[in-house]
Amino acid sequence: MWRRIGSSSAPCLRGVQKRKATTSSGYSASIDQSVCIDSGADSPSGAPALELRTGHLARFADAAVVASRGESAVLATVVTKASNGVGAAGFTPLTVDFRQSAAAVGKIPTNYLRREMGQSDADILISRIIDRSVRPLIPGTVADQIQLQCKPLATEDDADPVTLAVNAASAALQISPIPMLATSAAVRVAIVDGKPLVNPTRAALRRASADLLLTGADDARTLMIEMDGKEIRPEALEEAMDAALREVDRVIRGIARLADAAGKEKRIAAAVDHSKLDADLAELCGMQLEFVLTDSRHDKISRDEAIKAVLADALPALLQSYTDLQDTIRARYSTLVKKTLRSLILRSSLRCDGRGIDEFRPISIQVDVFKKLHGSALFQRGQTQVLSTCTFDSPSAAFHPDSIAQLLGSQRKKSFMLHYEFPGYATNEITVGRAGLNRRELGHGALAEKGLKHLVSPAFPFCVRLACQVLESNGSSSMASVCAGSMALLDAGVPLKAQAAGVAIGLITDEQAPDEKYEQLHESIVRGQSAIDRLVRRQDEEIARPREQFKASVPVLESLQLETYKRGILFKGGAMAAKQIEVETGVKISLDDDTHVCLTAPNREEMERAKTMIKELTAESDETQIEFGKMISVEIVAVHDGGISVKITPNGKAYYVANKQLHSTPIQHPSAIGLKVGDRVTMQWLGRDSTTGAVRMSRRTLQGAAGAASNAFKRGK
């Protein structure tokens, strides 16, 4: 956790409401209570207050809290299953699920059965945010299974379901039987015109240079940060974090007040004294561990094997004194390894591979790895290796969310995508029965995508997909994906605003004096920027500018202007004409805007061939290039009940003229005015309909003029 420099203001809280709740069967249920937290000075004027309420919904759950702001509400429930066992070392048995609801936006789902949709990628990312916001505060001694579920009940257009879900989850855990180390709360801050804005509206976020989501805990400590930014100044970032922590403090105080009024008795596990086992482990394994952890000749695999071997040698002797406690011995040994590593780094300022705390692992880079690909780069940092490939496609290949996802505000159209893959072989593991992405891959991919997407101009014509494949992993693979992805984009010829690089920064503290040796958040930002500058210079040595010309394998993209009726010719009847051209040439045809179609061809030759086919298909004959309003002579080639078909030239196209255009007075059949096949009549040319492209001709004006002249002659006579 990070500590913020400075103090935080007290929250403005309204009173806690209490009223007894009973069911129809007469049993006494939870007390209905709520806390209302007014928005602080950093929020927009008139922003609605945050309300946390419990005791009125889902009362069979161990805890349930509804967090609402305005007309938006999210329900968080906690269900626990008590366990007398000991949890795995370093693992908290917590599962978190967030799932959006079409009902919350007043829509019927668009899937086949019209049921609520399954978890989307956005839902999984929100679940990870909630998890990272509460998991560190659950004591390691907790072995109970904990299930935390968050579901929106109502969602406004300007709602922020993420912060509502985190705050509802935090409050539910505080009033649940699960013991907690501290209280957490989340807040979103936008940087608009260089200034922080707490609890921004969606309109403000669209104008923001950064969208910061921060979860903090008691004593102004930072638990989790998610940010989507556009090259902002470090000073602006620190100011936004300071504003966020002030608001976090207000919410934490509100949660604490609700917990005081409604909290349940905590389920405290009986304390187990492992001091003798820890002492025996240290005596038998301590020196060997220090030797392994200071031997810089080891790599990841050999070091892990050596650490396992130390325990394997000591285990028989330990089991003589601690019979049937093998799992406990392994758990305490894992703790000893972490403590030993922490102590060595704090004493020597050296890592286990011999590097200083601010030194990089050896870096090697290769660009244009595969000539056939549009762009590629291989980035190696120590034993972390990532291959990034860049692929271009037509704008129609962009990600398009469904209508409900757009209403929920969780997904947007994307013309730039980064997909991250972490196969088992990257850490020499076997994966069995794996289907699709796991949550970790999705989260790391989203993180790397945020580091690159704002560097690609929205005007870039292609849809871009980066595939970042982790081939070896010994830490920081998501940031290696940023480095490899940036160079793959340049290798493909994408004009980036700047080269990008990513680094991961860790924190090691002394358990005996945790506040004496820790990095301030400001120091982390400064160190991170220095490391990024060094990385960018190293990457620039390999490729500093985008490729001047696309490779021959890159598709050719062109926008072709076509009148509305001509586009109708291409896309009518299920777009049969466009599909036929694609089959023959390989050129994809898609609608670009109201006046253009987009053509994506595998090469220039096929592009020209497709354009020729489109021109022939939509071509107008010379006979239609007639001045608007001109009188022309046409031949009747067919008579119908509703009109006639005429030709301007003997070998030209036949055009249909309805009855209403044949005479100034209504007629039921062309024969009523003596028209028959073979007659030549005079028509006025009125061009084409701008929407349908249909040719327009008429005799009404001529018949009206002839009738008026005849009447005048009769009167004169």
Side-chain angles (χ1 to χ4, degrees):
M1 295 187 292
W2 302 104
R3 184 185 295 278
R4 177 182 65 87
I5 303 174
S7 60
S8 56
S9 58
C12 178
L13 302 177
R14 302 178 194 170
V16 178
Q17 303 172 358
K18 300 184 180 181
R19 54 185 180 273
K20 198 71 172 181
T22 58
T23 67
S24 58
S25 60
Y27 73 85
S28 177
S30 304
I31 301 296
D32 186 354
Q33 304 171 7
S34 66
V35 169
C36 199
I37 308 167
D38 290 329
S39 299
D42 296 313
S43 299
S45 59
L50 170 65
E51 182 181 8
L52 301 172
R53 186 179 176 188
T54 186
H56 65 301
L57 296 178
R59 289 174 291 187
F60 280 141
D62 283 321
V65 172
V66 174
S68 59
R69 191 184 293 277
E71 296 298 322
S72 300
V74 174
L75 168 67
T77 58
V78 174
V79 175
T80 65
K81 182 178 180 181
S83 171
N84 296 324
V86 178
F91 174 75
T92 301
L94 168 70
T95 58
V96 179
D97 279 304
F98 176 93
R99 196 179 299 268
Q100 282 284 14
S101 168
V105 292
K107 294 292 181 180
I108 296 176
T110 55
N111 53 26
Y112 179 72
L113 294 176
R114 301 301 188 261
R115 296 182 181 276
E116 287 290 357
M117 298 173 290
Q119 263 194 328
S120 66
D121 288 359
D123 292 345
I124 293 173
L125 292 174
I126 295 174
S127 299
R128 285 172 54 86
I129 290 173
I130 300 169
D131 188 296
R132 287 168 22 229
S133 297
V134 298
R135 184 181 292 272
L137 302 182
I138 300 175
T141 56
V142 172
D144 297 353
Q145 295 181 36
I146 309 168
Q147 185 177 53
L148 177 57
Q149 293 181 297
C150 298
K151 186 175 181 65
L153 303 178
T155 304
E156 288 183 297
D157 290 343
D158 261 346
D160 184 0
V162 183
T163 55
L164 287 177
V166 173
N167 292 329
S170 175
L173 284 169
Q174 289 300 322
I175 66 176
S176 76
I178 298 298
M180 301 294 291
L181 298 174
T183 307
S184 63
V187 65
R188 188 179 299 277
V189 179
I191 300 179
V192 181
D193 299 328
K195 298 296 182 183
L197 182 65
V198 174
N199 299 322
T201 62
R202 285 193 188 177
L205 284 174
R206 285 192 288 270
R207 298 185 292 109
S209 58
D211 176 6
L212 170 71
L213 179 68
L214 182 144
T215 302
D218 301 325
D219 197 22
R221 290 179 178 268
T222 303
L223 283 172
M224 189 278 310
I225 297 174
E226 282 265 336
M227 192 183 76
D228 190 352
K230 304 175 184 177
E231 303 168 283
I232 60 173
R233 295 178 296 104
E235 298 81 11
L237 175 59
E238 291 187 53
E239 187 179 356
M241 291 180 177
D242 199 61
L245 285 166
R246 286 195 296 269
E247 186 70 14
V248 161
D249 185 64
R250 299 163 57 82
V251 179
I252 285 177
R253 291 175 183 246
I255 293 174
R257 191 168 178 184
L258 183 69
D260 288 343
K264 300 178 181 179
E265 184 177 350
K266 295 296 184 181
R267 190 182 297 146
I268 306 297
V272 180
D273 185 6
H274 292 301
S275 58
K276 188 176 185 308
L277 174 57
D278 290 343
D280 290 345
L281 276 169
E283 182 179 355
L284 289 173
C285 306
M287 290 187 63
Q288 292 93 323
L289 272 179
E290 287 201 13
F291 179 77
V292 171
L293 294 174
T294 54
D295 187 352
S296 60
R297 294 172 299 177
H298 281 302
D299 60 15
K300 173 183 171 61
I301 302 298
S302 65
R303 185 178 296 108
D304 288 346
E305 293 297 327
I307 290 172
K308 292 177 184 177
V310 172
L311 178 60
D313 291 342
L315 194 57
L318 289 167
L319 288 175
Q320 292 179 5
S321 301
Y322 303 96
T323 308
D324 298 329
L325 291 179
Q326 185 166 332
D327 289 343
T328 302
I329 292 172
R330 293 186 182 280
R332 301 309 298 173
Y333 179 71
S334 176
T335 301
L336 175 63
V337 173
K338 294 175 183 177
K339 286 183 177 180
T340 305
L341 179 60
R342 179 187 297 111
S343 176
L344 289 172
I345 293 176
L346 291 174
R347 288 203 317 258
S348 64
S349 295
L350 292 176
R351 311 189 204 201
C352 55
D353 59 3
R355 288 180 295 135
I357 58 175
D358 59 351
E359 288 185 55
F360 283 141
R361 289 168 285 174
I363 293 174
S364 64
I365 298 170
Q366 181 183 353
V367 296
D368 197 14
V369 184
F370 299 102
K371 307 298 182 183
K372 175 67 176 177
L373 302 180
H374 301 166
S376 59
L378 183 66
F379 180 84
Q380 181 101 35
R381 180 162 49 197
Q383 289 183 291
T384 295
Q385 183 186 72
V386 175
L387 173 66
S388 181
T389 60
C390 178
T391 305
F392 295 151
D393 207 332
S394 67
S396 62
F399 169 75
H400 294 269
D402 59 68
S403 59
I404 293 180
Q406 288 179 309
L407 285 172
L408 293 171
S410 58
Q411 295 173 293
R412 296 284 186 270
K413 176 184 175 182
K414 291 169 60 175
S415 293
F416 175 83
M417 296 164 282
L418 188 150
H419 295 153
Y420 169 98
E421 301 174 28
F422 193 101
Y425 61 75
T427 52
N428 196 33
E429 296 176 356
I430 295 176
T431 52
V432 180
R434 172 177 168 174
L437 287 175
N438 58 38
R439 291 189 171 197
R440 181 184 181 278
E441 287 178 312
L442 189 61
H444 279 55
L447 178 63
E449 184 177 291
K450 288 179 180 179
L452 292 170
K453 68 179 183 179
H454 293 297
L455 299 179
V456 180
S457 171
F460 190 68
F462 289 103
C463 176
V464 181
R465 178 181 183 263
L466 275 178
C468 295
Q469 304 167 60
V470 182
L471 306 180
E472 301 173 4
S473 178
N474 191 13
S476 193
S477 58
S478 61
M479 294 299 97
S481 296
V482 173
C483 299
S486 176
M487 291 183 288
L489 289 168
L490 292 175
D491 180 53
V494 180
L496 298 181
K497 295 179 182 178
Q499 177 92 265
V503 294
I505 297 179
L507 173 67
I508 292 182
T509 59
D510 187 343
E511 284 189 331
Q512 304 303 318
D515 290 337
E516 291 182 5
K517 294 183 178 180
Y518 63 86
E519 291 180 284
Q520 294 286 354
L521 189 54
H522 170 76
E523 183 182 354
S524 300
I525 294 173
V526 172
R527 287 198 180 195
Q529 187 59 57
S530 174
I532 287 173
D533 290 342
R534 289 161 56 194
L535 263 178
V536 167
R537 288 195 295 270
R538 176 67 182 87
Q539 292 170 207
D540 281 345
E541 293 175 5
E542 302 297 328
I543 182 168
R545 291 178 297 278
R547 181 184 294 272
E548 293 184 359
Q549 291 185 337
F550 293 143
K551 291 184 179 180
S553 59
V554 172
V556 179
L557 194 67
E558 194 167 317
S559 183
L560 184 65
Q561 184 172 3
L562 282 179
E563 292 86 347
T564 303
Y565 75 89
K566 290 185 178 180
R567 282 181 282 127
I569 295 172
L570 284 175
F571 294 101
K572 69 181 179 181
M576 288 301 297
K579 291 176 182 177
Q580 182 64 34
I581 294 174
E582 181 174 351
V583 168
E584 294 190 23
T585 65
V587 177
K588 296 181 181 178
I589 306 175
S590 59
L591 289 172
D592 197 357
D593 55 33
D594 291 341
T595 59
H596 294 78
V597 294
C598 180
L599 307 181
T600 308
N603 52 58
R604 175 53 60 185
E605 292 75 17
E606 296 299 340
M607 172 66 80
E608 294 303 322
R609 186 179 168 207
K611 288 169 64 177
T612 299
M613 293 178 68
I614 293 173
K615 183 178 180 181
E616 291 174 352
L617 185 65
T618 62
E620 296 178 346
S621 61
D622 293 338
E623 65 193 27
T624 62
Q625 306 304 313
I626 302 171
E627 183 181 351
F628 184 87
K630 185 176 181 180
M631 302 301 176
I632 59 174
S633 176
V634 298
E635 180 184 359
I636 300 175
V637 295
V639 175
H640 316 283
D641 289 343
I644 61 175
S645 294
V646 301
K647 284 187 176 182
I648 300 175
T649 61
N651 297 323
K653 292 175 62 177
Y655 302 108
Y656 181 77
V657 183
N659 283 340
K660 64 180 180 180
Q661 300 295 340
L662 297 178
H663 204 273
S664 57
T665 58
I667 61 172
Q668 298 298 318
H669 193 276
S671 60
I673 54 174
L675 297 180
K676 59 185 183 297
V677 174
D679 288 353
R680 295 199 67 86
V681 294
T682 300
M683 294 276 188
Q684 186 177 27
W685 178 260
L686 300 176
R688 289 183 179 271
D689 184 277
S690 59
T691 302
T692 65
V695 167
R696 298 180 299 181
M697 288 184 279
S698 177
R699 296 180 71 237
R700 294 178 60 184
T701 54
L702 298 176
Q703 294 301 312
S710 176
N711 291 335
F713 175 76
K714 292 177 180 179
R715 287 195 301 271
K717 186 176 179 180

